[in-house]
Each structure stands twice: as C-alpha cells, then as structure tokens.
Amino acid sequence: MPDVASFRVKIFADGADRASILELADNPWIRGFTTNPTLLRKAGITDYESFGKSLAYTIPDRPFSFEVLSDDFDEMEQQALRIACWGENVYVKIPITDTRGRSSAALVARLAEQGVKVNVTALMTLEQVDAVIWALRHGPPSCISIFAGRIADTGCDPLPILCGALEHIRAYPQIELIWASPRELFNIVQADAIGCHIITVTHDLLKKLPLLNRDLTDYSLETVKMFVDDARAAKFTLEAPVAVPRRGPVLAPAATLACLGTPDIA
C-alpha cells in the first residue's frame, strides 16, 4: 500500500477553522486549502473578506479557493473579481449552475478571459465537465471540482465520471481535476491511483492520515481492546446463568427451552 510520501495526488485541506488551517499549514503533505459558505457558517465566520485576505497573506505559498456568495451571475462576476484580488494564490470558486439550474459556463469564460483563476465547483456529470472545459480552455490555471462523495451517496460509482473527466481535460494541462467531498481515507488512495490532480479532505478526515499502512492484525487487536475498555468504562454487567440440576431426558438446552416458551416436562 502507498504512503503519503509516495502520493502524486495533492491533498488540499477543506475547512474554515482558522486555527486548524494555520496548524495544517505546518504539515508538508497539505498542498492547498479550500472552503465554502457552508463550512464558513459552521465555523462562525462573520467577516468573510478579512478571513480570506488574512489567510491568503499568511500562507502565500499554497493555493486557496474561496467561493462567491451571490446567486446572480452579474454579482458573481463582481464578487469573483474582488476575491481574486485577495492574493496571487487565490482561486475563485464558481458553482456550476445558479439555483435555477442555469449553467455558469459563460461567466466562467468571462472570468478566465480576465485572468481569474477559477475553481468550478459542485460538478457531478461529464456534460457539466465538458461545458466548463470549453470555458476554461484558453484561460489561466484552473480547477474542476467533481463531488465524488455526493455522487456515491446516490448509489452511483463516481470513478467512471472522474476518469472520463481526466480524459477530457488531458489536452489542457492548465486545468486540474479535484476529487471533492471524499467520504473515507481510502478515497485518497483511489484518487492517486486514477491520476487525479487534487483531493480536498476535511480536517476531521485528515486526522486519519496516520492510519495509512497500519498493520491490520495490530489494528484489529486495537479495536478489540477499545470495545473491552469501553464496556468497562460504561460499567456494563451481565450475570452468569445459574446452573440447574438435570431431571429427566434433555431435549434441548434449558436456555433454548425457556426462550421458546416450552412447557416444563413432568
């Protein structure tokens, strides 16, 4: 099994907790950072611009992706131009559609023409991928984020879509594919195996990185010990059954007869 040092896929930390981001910046395996309005809200961020500018300035050697907030394409464009000014390392996240389902491809093309580094987000189909490839094909460095975890949540295998996207962008080296919304650490191994450029990983999931290459026998033993320790900590008890002297023929164990409601044998 591969270890982190052998991965070609770049691991980006996905979150909005400033303290955690600064701590992860000291980790050489973290190659970039992403966030979104949902994560920002959960983290209690109230001044988005100050938050973004500060992080982009404090960690200038790695890319950050910050998302527009509007649902109107004209406003999205103005917000994108403003966010792009937060730092040379900033990518602007543009959702693949607005809330009415209208494609943002034309907006993405306008931003690319203006030199804005775009991260098109929330893609789930190859048709969406093809629409934004057209928009980004002559632009600066950019990313396409396929929400593989959400695709898998529907019971569909995301790998054919991801592999198809990699094939479709092969002619455009400035476009990188992001495996977004992973659900387990193994997704990093999968992303690396198919040649995905980037995978975004939540801070909680990143805590599992030390588990890579664990000996499975040792890990099994650790799991057993955890169950025993938790049972003791909870002070669970089960009384041992009382032995009953045998009388007459034994047709079945006494416990089985009791559970089945079998009448006593005279």
Side-chain angles (χ1 to χ4, degrees), residues 98-116:
D98 64 7
T99 57
R100 301 184 196 177
R102 296 177 299 185
S103 174
S104 63
L107 167 61
V108 171
R110 291 198 303 272
L111 291 171
E113 288 171 0
Q114 297 175 76
V116 175

Side-chain angles (χ1 to χ4, degrees), residues 116-158:
V116 175
K117 290 177 281 191
V118 177
N119 176 352
V120 188
T121 190
L123 285 81
M124 298 193 195
T125 71
L126 281 177
E127 289 77 15
Q128 292 174 330
V129 170
D130 288 337
V132 294
I133 288 175
W134 170 85
L136 296 169
R137 68 193 189 283
H138 298 311
S142 57
C143 298
I144 296 173
S145 292
I146 294 181
F147 278 46
R150 288 182 177 248
I151 294 172
D153 287 343
T154 70
C156 294
D157 183 358

Side-chain angles (χ1 to χ4, degrees), residues 6-225:
S6 70
F7 285 146
R8 295 166 299 168
V9 65
K10 293 179 283 189
I11 300 175
F12 282 20
D14 189 32
D17 179 74
R18 178 180 171 81
S20 295
I21 291 171
L22 294 177
E23 181 179 348
L24 287 167
D26 293 330
N27 186 330
W29 311 126
I30 305 304
R31 307 281 296 280
F33 299 88
T34 60
T35 189
N36 61 54
T38 301
L39 293 171
L40 291 164
R41 181 169 179 254
K42 288 181 179 179
I45 302 301
T46 56
D47 190 335
Y48 182 28
E49 186 161 5
S50 294
F51 173 82
K53 282 182 176 179
S54 174
L55 286 173
Y57 175 81
T58 304
I59 312 173
D61 60 335
R62 273 160 287 183
F64 276 88
S65 285
F66 297 109
E67 191 162 342
V68 295
L69 307 176
S70 178
D71 190 44
D72 175 82
F73 289 134
D74 290 336
E75 287 185 0
M76 283 188 200
E77 184 169 0
Q78 296 306 311
Q79 290 180 357
L81 294 172
R82 183 163 182 161
I83 291 171
C85 293
W86 293 355
E88 289 294 324
N89 55 335
V90 170
Y91 284 65
V92 181
K93 293 178 77 172
I94 303 292
I96 184 60
T97 69
D98 64 7
T99 57
R100 301 184 196 177
R102 296 177 299 185
S103 174
S104 63
L107 167 61
V108 171
R110 291 198 303 272
L111 291 171
E113 288 171 0
Q114 297 175 76
V116 175
K117 290 177 281 191
V118 177
N119 176 352
V120 188
T121 190
L123 285 81
M124 298 193 195
T125 71
L126 281 177
E127 289 77 15
Q128 292 174 330
V129 170
D130 288 337
V132 294
I133 288 175
W134 170 85
L136 296 169
R137 68 193 189 283
H138 298 311
S142 57
C143 298
I144 296 173
S145 292
I146 294 181
F147 278 46
R150 288 182 177 248
I151 294 172
D153 287 343
T154 70
C156 294
D157 183 358
L159 287 177
I161 298 172
L162 291 158
C163 291
L166 285 169
E167 184 62 32
H168 290 198
I169 66 175
R170 193 177 302 279
Y172 307 98
Q174 81 277 20
I175 303 176
E176 293 187 295
L177 179 65
I178 295 179
W179 179 314
S181 71
R183 295 296 189 255
E184 56 192 0
L185 201 65
F186 182 60
N187 292 152
I188 302 177
V189 178
Q190 291 177 301
D192 185 67
I194 67 171
C196 196
H197 304 100
I198 299 166
I199 184 168
T200 59
V201 186
T202 63
H203 296 181
D204 286 341
L205 198 54
L206 285 170
K207 294 176 183 177
K208 294 186 176 183
L209 275 178
L211 291 175
L212 280 173
N213 287 326
R214 279 291 306 273
D215 180 275
L216 294 182
T217 300
D218 290 343
Y219 198 27
S220 172
L221 180 60
E222 180 183 307
T223 303
V224 172
K225 289 178 178 179

